[in-house]
């Protein structure tokens, strides 16, 4: 058995909001004692006092989490809210960890988080939920360091923390129990016989001819086919920045089977560099994409169906975690709530749901040895026993 109790509070006062979330979890737990949990808080709703209130309500229960651009709960989509998800199981160990100082020593930070989570379980780790700061260091470096710190075979999924808005991306907060960081990685580890399925969707489709990346660094694409990257983009787009969030770059790494996305964030006309959320390695094949809002939501629905259809036979999923991109929220606007509605429709009325909108997502890519840092992507993770 795995139970995920979910509560949400959307009151303006953080203490009132967390009180509502705690009440919702207590009702869903139906007397069971949770082991650990996750908390997603809108940046403007976050106050360390909410962590104190969770510890007071559930003594000895370790809770990790992060600030979010928007939240998803069993009640649907919300902005400026707090979502609390608590896990109870008699078969699976659920533990947490927090490492800090990503920009100083990413390996040490990841070992710290993993060490804390492994210290309280003797079962085999299976799934690691990763919530990390996304600007102190290339998030892919964090994921590579997490892969080195974790035992072999652990699936990593999650997202990067959200700040106030796209114009003020730092600071953001990662936390565990009474510890709050601005350059940290928080994890929730599920160990033992947990059953799961996961699917990734976008909805974007490629347009135009592909090119090969010949110059790149973290945060900037410098050359495509030996020419300034901006020249490649300018064949299709007049400007770069928020207006081009609807046209991310799809790329395929050398030796990897599947494309994933990078959001275009701006450019430098003087150098021809195109700024992006993350990095694209030299040698990758890159192509511009396009999508209407219906296409994006079709990507959401397809991912949910694939996750549901792929869940191991024998018993239904007992929990669903959603990680979606803040850029999807930006592009979809008032239709963003449809993603949560689709999750409820596809998964049915009884599966508890918790999730957040991130500044980048973490999930598998076919042919890649470790999980990848993604942009503009929707991820559904289903859990059960």
């Amino acid at each position: 058995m795995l139970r995920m109790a979910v509560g949400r509070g959307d009151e303006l006062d953080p203490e009132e909001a967390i009180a509502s979330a705690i009440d919702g979890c207590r009702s869903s737990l139906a007397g069971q004692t949770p082991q650990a949990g996750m908390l997603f808080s809108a940046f403007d709703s976050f106050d360390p006092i909410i962590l104190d209130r969770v510890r007071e309500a559930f003594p000895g229960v370790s809770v990790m989490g992060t600030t979010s651009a928007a939240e998803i709960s069993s009640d649907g989509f919300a902005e400026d809210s707090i979502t609390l998800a608590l896990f109870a199981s008699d078969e699976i160990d659920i533990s947490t960890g927090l490492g800090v100082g990503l920009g100083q020593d990413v390996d040490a930070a990841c070992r710290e988080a993993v060490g804390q989570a492994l210290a309280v379980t003797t079962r085999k780790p299976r799934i690691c939920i990763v919530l990390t700061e996304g600007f102190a260091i290339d998030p892919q470096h964090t994921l590579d360091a997490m892969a080195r710190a974790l035992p072999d075979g652990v699936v990593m999924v999650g997202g990067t923390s959200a700040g106030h808005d796209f114009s003020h991306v730092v600071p953001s907060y990662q936390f565990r129990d009474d510890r709050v960081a601005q350059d940290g990685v928080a994890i929730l580890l599920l160990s033992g016989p947990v059953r799961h399925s996961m699917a990734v969707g976008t909805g974007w489709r490629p347009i135009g001819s592909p090119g090969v990346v010949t110059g790149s660094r973290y945060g900037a694409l410098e050359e495509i086919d030996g020419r300034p990257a901006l020249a490649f983009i300018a064949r299709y787009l007049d400007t770069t920045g928020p207006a081009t969030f609807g046209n991310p770059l799809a790329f395929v790494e050398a030796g990897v089977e599947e494309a994933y996305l990078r959001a275009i964030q701006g450019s430098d006309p003087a150098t021809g560099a195109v700024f992006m959320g993350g990095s694209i390695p030299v040698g990758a094949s890159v192509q511009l994409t396009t999508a209407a809002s219906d296409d994006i939501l079709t990507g959401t629905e397809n991912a949910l169906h694939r996750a549901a259809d792929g869940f191991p036979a024998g018993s239904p999923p007992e929990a669903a975690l959603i990680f979606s991109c803040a850029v999807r929220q930006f592009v979809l606007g008032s239709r963003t709530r449809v993603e949560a509605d689709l999750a409820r429709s596809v998964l049915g009325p009884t599966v508890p749901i918790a999730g957040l909108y991130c500044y980048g997502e973490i999930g598998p890519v076919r042919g890649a040895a470790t999980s990848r840092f993604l942009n503009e992507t929707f991820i559904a993770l289903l859990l059960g026993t």
Side-chain angles (χ1 to χ4, degrees):
M1 180 278 301
L2 172 67
R3 181 184 292 274
M4 183 175 76
V6 181
R8 183 177 80 188
D10 57 8
E11 293 84 351
L12 291 176
D13 180 77
E15 290 209 62
E16 293 180 4
I18 195 60
S20 294
I22 288 168
D23 287 345
C25 283
R26 280 199 176 115
S27 176
S28 298
L29 284 167
Q32 288 187 291
T33 302
Q35 296 183 40
M38 296 189 295
L39 190 151
F40 310 132
S41 171
F43 184 87
D44 289 339
S45 300
F46 179 73
D47 186 312
I49 199 168
I50 68 178
L51 306 178
D52 297 335
R53 297 296 175 258
V54 173
R55 290 197 305 279
E56 292 166 2
F58 303 100
V61 176
S62 184
V63 173
M64 53 75 79
T66 188
T67 47
S68 48
E71 301 73 48
I72 295 174
S73 73
S74 297
D75 295 325
F77 169 82
E79 296 177 288
D80 300 320
S81 72
I82 295 172
T83 292
L84 176 65
L86 299 178
F87 296 87
S89 178
D90 52 6
E91 302 172 68
I92 299 167
D93 288 342
I94 303 104
S95 54
T96 69
L98 175 69
V100 300
L102 290 175
Q104 289 71 48
D105 190 333
V106 63
D107 280 288
C110 292
R111 287 195 301 268
E112 180 182 19
V114 171
Q116 292 166 5
L118 289 176
V120 293
T121 182
T122 58
R123 291 186 164 115
K124 182 178 176 59
R126 300 286 187 181
I127 299 170
C128 185
I129 310 300
V130 179
L131 302 173
T132 183
E133 200 281 334
F135 294 94
I137 188 174
D138 185 342
Q140 189 57 53
H141 292 341
T142 301
L143 299 183
D144 294 341
M146 284 296 304
R148 291 189 290 269
L150 287 163
D152 291 341
V154 177
V155 176
M156 284 191 292
V157 62
T160 58
S161 306
H164 183 272
D165 54 37
F166 287 128
S167 62
H168 298 86
V169 294
V170 292
S172 63
Y173 300 111
Q174 310 79 42
F175 43 82
R176 174 185 185 249
D177 301 335
D178 61 350
R179 193 179 185 197
V180 180
Q182 295 184 23
D183 61 347
V185 53
I187 67 170
L188 184 134
L189 190 66
L190 293 94
S191 304
V194 58
R195 302 161 77 239
H196 80 281
S197 61
M198 179 169 40
V200 175
T202 69
W204 273 270
R205 61 185 185 277
I207 56 172
S209 301
V212 176
V213 176
T214 50
S216 181
R217 56 183 167 85
Y218 171 50
L221 189 58
E222 296 175 316
E223 288 186 354
I224 300 174
D225 293 333
R227 300 179 61 212
L230 187 57
F232 180 88
I233 302 298
R235 295 184 296 176
Y236 309 97
L237 302 175
D238 293 332
T239 62
T240 57
T244 53
F245 282 170
N247 299 101
L249 292 166
F251 69 100
V252 181
E253 297 178 53
V256 172
E257 303 170 25
E258 187 177 17
Y260 55 106
L261 300 181
R262 282 285 172 265
I264 297 173
Q265 298 181 332
S267 60
D268 181 356
T271 65
V274 173
F275 305 131
M276 58 191 174
S279 58
I280 300 179
V282 169
S285 174
V286 65
Q287 203 165 2
L288 203 68
T289 70
T290 188
S293 59
D294 284 344
D295 299 321
I296 298 169
L297 292 172
T298 296
T300 300
E301 187 172 16
N302 288 343
L304 288 161
H305 278 294
R306 283 186 281 110
D309 294 344
F311 195 78
S315 61
E318 296 168 290
L321 296 177
I322 302 297
F323 305 91
S324 191
C325 188
V327 175
R328 295 173 75 88
Q329 177 189 0
F330 178 90
V331 174
L332 288 170
S334 62
R335 300 189 71 191
T336 304
R337 64 183 60 255
V338 177
E339 291 202 310
D341 295 342
L342 286 168
R344 177 53 71 214
S345 175
V346 172
L347 300 177
T350 60
V351 176
I353 300 171
L356 75 161
Y357 282 79
C358 322
Y359 278 175
E361 301 70 59
I362 295 165
V365 171
R366 285 196 309 273
T370 62
S371 287
R372 290 299 192 253
F373 173 63
L374 316 172
N375 295 157
E376 306 203 31
T377 298
F378 178 93
I379 302 175
L381 171 65
L382 306 185
L383 302 169
T385 53

